Amino acid sequence: MDRLHITGGVSLEGEIRIAGAKNSALPVLAASLLTQEPLKVCNLPHLFDITTMLELLGCMGVQRIVDEKMNVQVDSSTIENLNAPYELVRTMRASILVLGPLLTRYGRAEVALPGGCAIGSRPVNQHIAALRTMGASIEVENGYIRAHADGKLKGKHIFMDLVTVTGTENVMMAATLAEGQTIIENAAREPEVIDLATCLNKMGADITGHGSDTIVVNGVDELHGCDFAVMPDRIETGTYLIAAAATRGRVKVKDTQPHTLDSVLSKLEQAGAVLRVGADWIELDMRGRRPRAVSLRTAPYPAFPTDMQAQFTALNAVAAGIGSITETVFENRFMHVHEMNRMGANIRVEGNTVMVEGVERLNGAPVMATDLRASASLIIAGLVSENETTVDRIYHIDRGYECIEEKLQSLGARISRIPVR
Ligand code: EPU
């Protein structure tokens, strides 16, 4: 298990390019199961989670061809089995995204039930309930979701009890080949849901309303292949901007979509950042100043994203003043706090809120990453620390940030990977 070694104290300066969005690429790859024809997916980020999804498709017999530009052509005409085994699902919960496509296209699927994880219990009851409403018989036994449908799934009016991103995506994919019209109420409005709907429509689906909380899908007989480039990663974008703000630096992120980051950019401005925004770039300049503490509350899009909460906690840890951060999406997403306190931060957990009283500087320490975004926040904490920090268990970061140490090095950070055998 590799570690990252960081010598803090450098203000980040420079430009980087943002990769394709992990949370868009994963459902788009799963959508390849909806057609006999090859789907070519471009702008895929080089991440462990993407490799895991490709491995999952591969173990079903789906062919994957990677070209010299790292675009992947996925061809499910060779599919041999309809199972997502536990070994892969436990390493990546997003494997659940194959359930809707397999069920609607083949009338059968067997997917290991994802367990809880470091950020919460994360049940998939909404996915299952909606697919049952559409006529599927689903049993959960021996740790597996076993689903089948007699004939086509039926389009229905579905009310999601809560806003779920992958739940909305699973049901939307299932509805593309269902009989009649499906209306998904209380749908997730995340940009990644819009990206998936755009890809499905390019494949011949009939989806409207994506981006609102009511998505309407008229079932079609079949989908076909296409070329699709996934959107830029808004969470990667935000993470580098927060790192720049925390280190009092100046960074330009390119090949991104600024409109997907409104809530985050507004918090960065409150923290004292000077922002310039173009069609596909954002420049943040702290002009060497210490950030001001900000308060925020996570909630589904377009509100502030839970995936950026830990990084803002790191920013507040060295900001002037006291900021409160309330997490409303996951029940256990404060694991980074205890590690930051070991680095000299002054953070108190009160239920689902953390109160962060900024200190002038953190002190480097050996710390341990517990999940993907917590890892990113500990790296930011390391960058603003005096002396040395090592971040252990960085396989979490490789799941979701492409070449993070190279990108940070190009911004001047003193960071390196230490292979540990
Ligand atoms: N929930 C249920 N039942 C369900 C589904 C969800 O109770 O059937 C609950 C969850 O436990 C959670 C809340 O609803 O408390 C929202 O969960 P959601 O289903 O929206 O999360 P997800 O689809 O599993 C995606 C992202 C996450 C991101 C969340 C929230 C992907 C592959 N993952 O997860 O990304 O945090 O939406 O925006 O799209 C990450 O990239 O680090 C990450 C965790």
Side-chain angles (χ1 to χ4, degrees):
M1 275 190 261
D2 296 355
R3 285 191 188 126
L4 284 177
H5 183 264
I6 305 165
T7 307
V10 176
S11 291
L12 299 184
E13 299 267 344
E15 294 187 358
I16 49 162
R17 188 195 156 263
I18 295 304
K22 165 178 87 74
N23 290 347
S24 170
L26 292 171
V28 164
L29 286 171
S32 66
L33 294 167
L34 290 163
T35 172
Q36 280 277 100
E37 295 176 12
L39 176 69
K40 184 168 168 186
V41 188
C42 309
N43 201 30
L44 274 181
H46 304 168
L47 299 172
F48 269 19
D49 273 9
I50 301 301
T51 315
T52 306
M53 183 55 93
L54 290 171
E55 198 182 328
L56 173 58
L57 295 171
C59 81
M60 292 176 188
V62 172
Q63 262 186 11
R64 301 132 308 149
I65 301 169
V66 183
D67 74 13
E68 67 293 347
K69 290 188 182 145
M70 292 302 289
N71 300 321
V72 177
Q73 183 168 295
V74 194
D75 179 352
S76 79
S77 63
T78 52
I79 198 159
E80 290 156 0
N81 70 75
L82 309 172
N83 305 337
Y86 180 61
E87 297 71 58
L88 291 172
V89 175
R90 82 189 158 126
T91 58
M92 190 188 62
R93 301 177 46 83
S95 310
I96 190 72
L97 286 164
V98 301
L99 178 63
L102 287 178
L103 191 54
T104 198
R105 172 121 188 273
Y106 298 99
R108 203 159 49 77
E110 193 169 296
V111 179
L113 186 67
C117 72
I119 61 178
S121 59
R122 302 183 78 182
V124 290
N125 56 317
Q126 297 294 316
H127 304 226
I128 293 174
L131 293 170
R132 277 188 178 138
T133 306
M134 297 174 77
S137 308
I138 303 184
E139 276 163 28
V140 181
E141 53 186 10
N142 307 115
Y144 273 81
I145 302 168
R146 296 186 219 281
H148 83 269
D150 291 328
K152 283 188 153 208
L153 292 175
K154 308 281 178 291
K156 292 281 176 191
H157 201 155
I158 290 167
F159 294 86
M160 299 300 238
D161 285 348
L162 46 79
V163 178
T164 154
V165 176
T166 50
T168 301
E169 291 166 346
N170 237 336
V171 177
M172 191 166 72
M173 287 192 280
T176 57
L177 296 178
E179 202 176 278
Q181 186 176 72
T182 302
I183 301 175
I184 311 171
E185 304 264 16
N186 201 22
R189 292 184 279 167
E190 267 64 8
E192 294 77 12
V193 175
I194 302 178
D195 215 35
L196 172 65
T198 307
C199 173
L200 292 168
N201 280 343
K202 211 172 170 194
M203 293 167 73
D206 179 356
I207 304 174
T208 52
H210 39 295
S212 80
D213 60 7
T214 307
I215 297 178
V216 179
V217 187
N218 291 308
V220 296
D221 285 339
E222 59 178 18
L223 298 182
H224 48 77
C226 71
D227 287 8
F228 186 75
V230 299
M231 63 177 282
D233 197 311
R234 65 194 167 100
I235 308 298
E236 188 195 21
T237 305
T239 300
Y240 284 105
L241 293 176
I242 297 167
T247 60
R248 309 182 187 192
R250 176 178 171 176
V251 165
K252 182 172 183 180
V253 288
K254 298 193 297 190
D255 296 342
T256 189
Q257 279 180 354
H259 69 273
T260 60
L261 282 131
D262 288 348
S263 62
V264 174
L265 297 186
S266 122
K267 290 294 164 191
L268 284 167
E269 277 181 329
Q270 281 177 31
V274 178
L275 296 174
R276 289 199 313 133
V277 176
D280 64 353
W281 56 266
I282 305 166
E283 188 180 73
L284 177 145
D285 190 354
M286 281 306 279
R287 303 196 171 147
R289 291 188 300 244
R290 183 181 184 191
R292 291 190 293 270
V294 291
S295 292
L296 57 90
R297 182 185 174 85
T298 69
Y301 193 85
F304 189 90
T306 173
D307 290 343
M308 219 92 84
Q309 172 264 105
Q311 299 89 317
F312 258 95
T313 308
L315 176 98
N316 273 353
V318 290
I322 301 178
S324 74
I325 293 187
T326 302
E327 171 60 55
T328 75
V329 179
F330 292 109
E331 67 269 27
N332 185 26
R333 218 175 188 183
F334 288 139
M335 303 280 274
H336 48 280
V337 164
H338 312 293
E339 297 299 280
M340 284 180 198
N341 281 341
R342 293 181 53 249
M343 299 171 78
N346 186 358
I347 311 175
R348 228 177 37 249
V349 181
E350 294 174 1
N352 69 338
T353 297
V354 290
M355 299 300 298
V356 192
E357 186 167 352
V359 294
E360 273 287 339
R361 272 209 183 280
L362 298 177
N363 303 309
V367 291
M368 199 170 74
T370 47
D371 77 80
L372 171 55
R373 309 303 171 188
S375 319
S377 74
L378 293 175
I379 292 174
I380 296 173
L383 293 170
V384 295
S385 288
E386 269 170 9
N387 54 53
E388 325 256 301
T389 296
T390 49
V391 185
D392 219 332
R393 301 208 178 164
I394 53 153
Y395 53 86
H396 291 294
I397 202 102
D398 295 329
R399 293 186 42 205
Y401 289 90
E402 182 181 277
C403 305
I404 190 161
E405 70 270 29
E406 284 90 343
K407 285 188 178 177
L408 285 171
Q409 280 161 4
S410 77
L411 298 175
R414 290 173 292 184
I415 181 168
S416 55
R417 184 175 290 248
I418 309 169
V420 180
R421 283 170 220 299

